Amino acid sequence: MDDTGTLLSIGAFARRVGLSPSALRFYDDCDLLRPAHVDGATGYRYYAPDQESRAVLVRRLREAGLPLVDASAVLDGDPDEARAVLAAHARRTRETATAAQAAIDAILRDLSGPPGGAEARVGGPELAGAVRQVVPSAAHGEAREEFPVLGCVLVEITGQEVRLVATDRYRLAVRALRPSVVTGGPHQALVDTAALTEIASWAVRLPEVGIEIDGRGAWAYGDGDRRVIPVTDGTFPSYRVILDERPAARHRLIIERDALRTVLARDADGPVTLRADDGQGLVVRRGSDETPLRAIRTGPPVRIAFDPKVLLPAVDASVGPDVLLEISSATHPVVVRSADQGGFTTVVMPVHEGA
């Protein structure tokens, strides 16, 4: 390409503006920060030096926790609108911080490996957070009784990652952790959700924990303590097939997470339908009630229905003020993810509107 000499690769631009390459890809998907050029042969993104000020402003807005629908108004709206949006967000942030501090104060008041396998060390709070994210996607009740393996979380140590995977056949959650140290070949273990949740409660208080898996079992250790992780026999579904064989996304919806969660949590029967027609808005229908929500849509208009009891846990497990739905069609699995944590992916099955 003749003009890439004046452009920056996505890695170089990311370092210059203080954003990760995955965040830049997300903002490209959201039409918030498009690259100056995309190589047609390789798909590599390139950025112009004059895009630096916009990228830095995007980073500062996201550091302040501003939802993307509001960030667009600040970036591209008139100054009066930008000031109003920022003032409203500052007010909400103060209210949220006050409530969080009260909750933390209450919690504080209440607080009076073997060779031949694989080993990895990860942050204790990160492991605990990953467990909280994936466990809701495991099966329970009758589904768990029929398929006990679906009541477990698959814990994998690969050459580069620690992965936690759970599915109940209607949704799939995958969280990847980047270990500080990893040794040994690929190993995996099936762990009951209750046992893994107990390990997470222990790990959250430790700066770093080790995980070991071999043919005899699994263990967690840290701060001089070593614990057995109970392992369950069985064959976990091939989740990589679901991830690898998804059709390409034709529609993307960026929605304020709390607003969508409020609608999904309402006491109502039947599926919830998301409809995004011309324009940027979104209408969420539950029964006879329709709620307009602010949203950013890329791609053609879309209409899709979900079981709210399935979609709500996926939205709850997302991180940050926004949730992104990547939709290929009204009948294929939908990816639910956020800009703030590229290592977490949830896949949710849609339903027929009459279901």
Side-chain angles (χ1 to χ4, degrees):
M1 190 177 70
D2 294 332
D3 57 348
T4 52
T6 61
L7 300 179
L8 298 169
S9 69
I10 190 171
F13 188 72
R15 290 190 294 273
R16 177 173 291 192
V17 301
L19 289 167
S20 67
S22 63
L24 288 172
R25 296 186 190 99
F26 181 87
Y27 298 139
D28 181 12
D29 292 342
C30 299
D31 203 21
L32 196 70
L33 182 61
R34 290 289 195 183
H37 176 79
V38 178
D39 189 292
T42 65
Y44 292 163
R45 296 166 170 87
Y46 295 91
Y47 293 81
D50 61 8
Q51 293 181 282
E52 182 175 346
S53 60
R54 182 180 179 92
V56 170
L57 180 54
V58 169
R59 189 200 73 217
R60 293 170 62 194
L61 292 173
R62 297 299 284 168
E63 288 173 348
L66 203 70
L68 289 183
V69 291
D70 287 336
S72 297
V74 175
L75 290 163
D76 301 315
D78 60 69
D80 289 339
E81 181 183 7
R83 281 189 286 270
V85 166
L86 291 172
H89 179 68
R91 183 178 63 256
R92 292 194 300 269
T93 300
R94 288 193 296 270
E95 293 170 352
T96 300
T98 299
Q101 186 62 58
I104 291 171
D105 290 343
I107 294 170
L108 290 173
R109 286 194 299 269
D110 292 339
L111 292 176
S112 334
E119 179 181 354
R121 297 186 67 87
V122 297
E126 287 76 16
L127 176 62
V131 172
R132 287 195 298 271
Q133 286 180 308
V134 302
V135 161
S137 293
H140 58 277
E142 294 182 0
R144 178 176 178 143
E145 292 179 3
E146 184 177 2
F147 302 102
V149 69
L150 298 184
C152 297
V153 173
L154 179 69
V155 181
E156 288 186 317
I157 300 178
T158 70
Q160 296 180 326
E161 294 180 330
V162 175
R163 291 183 192 151
L164 277 62
V165 188
T167 182
D168 62 359
R169 295 179 299 170
Y170 300 102
R171 62 181 179 266
L172 166 72
V174 181
R175 174 69 193 277
L177 299 171
R178 183 70 65 172
S180 60
V181 176
V182 60
T183 59
H187 278 72
Q188 59 181 229
L190 276 176
V191 184
D192 181 82
T193 54
L196 192 60
T197 299
E198 184 177 343
I199 291 293
S201 298
W202 162 78
V204 72
R205 296 186 292 272
L206 303 178
E208 189 175 61
V209 297
I211 301 172
E212 294 180 6
I213 302 175
D214 68 7
R216 294 175 293 166
W219 298 262
Y221 62 89
D223 196 27
D225 190 6
R226 184 178 181 87
R227 300 192 173 205
V228 175
I229 304 177
V231 174
T232 300
D233 293 331
T235 302
F236 197 78
S238 181
Y239 72 93
R240 291 184 182 86
V241 174
I242 299 174
L243 295 177
D244 295 343
E245 295 186 357
R246 288 184 299 109
R250 297 183 62 242
H251 324 267
R252 289 183 172 88
L253 292 174
I254 300 100
I255 313 165
E256 287 185 77
R257 187 167 70 96
D258 287 345
L260 179 59
R261 189 197 182 285
T262 297
V263 178
L264 295 174
R266 288 176 183 165
D267 186 11
D269 295 328
V272 58
T273 301
L274 279 61
R275 186 181 76 248
D277 298 320
D278 292 334
Q280 294 295 309
L282 171 71
V283 175
V284 182
R285 181 183 179 89
R286 291 208 63 185
S288 59
D289 295 332
E290 291 191 343
T291 304
L293 297 181
R294 295 186 303 166
I296 299 173
R297 187 192 87 228
T298 58
V302 61
R303 183 185 183 109
I304 191 167
F306 297 93
D307 180 345
K309 295 179 181 178
V310 175
L311 182 58
L312 179 58
V315 172
D316 279 340
S318 300
V319 176
D322 308 292
V323 62
L324 168 64
L325 305 184
E326 293 185 338
I327 304 166
S328 56
S329 76
T331 58
H332 285 93
V334 173
V335 172
V336 182
R337 64 185 180 96
S338 67
D340 301 281
Q341 197 169 81
F344 178 61
T345 300
T346 309
V347 179
V348 177
M349 286 298 301
V351 299
H352 295 294
E353 289 191 51

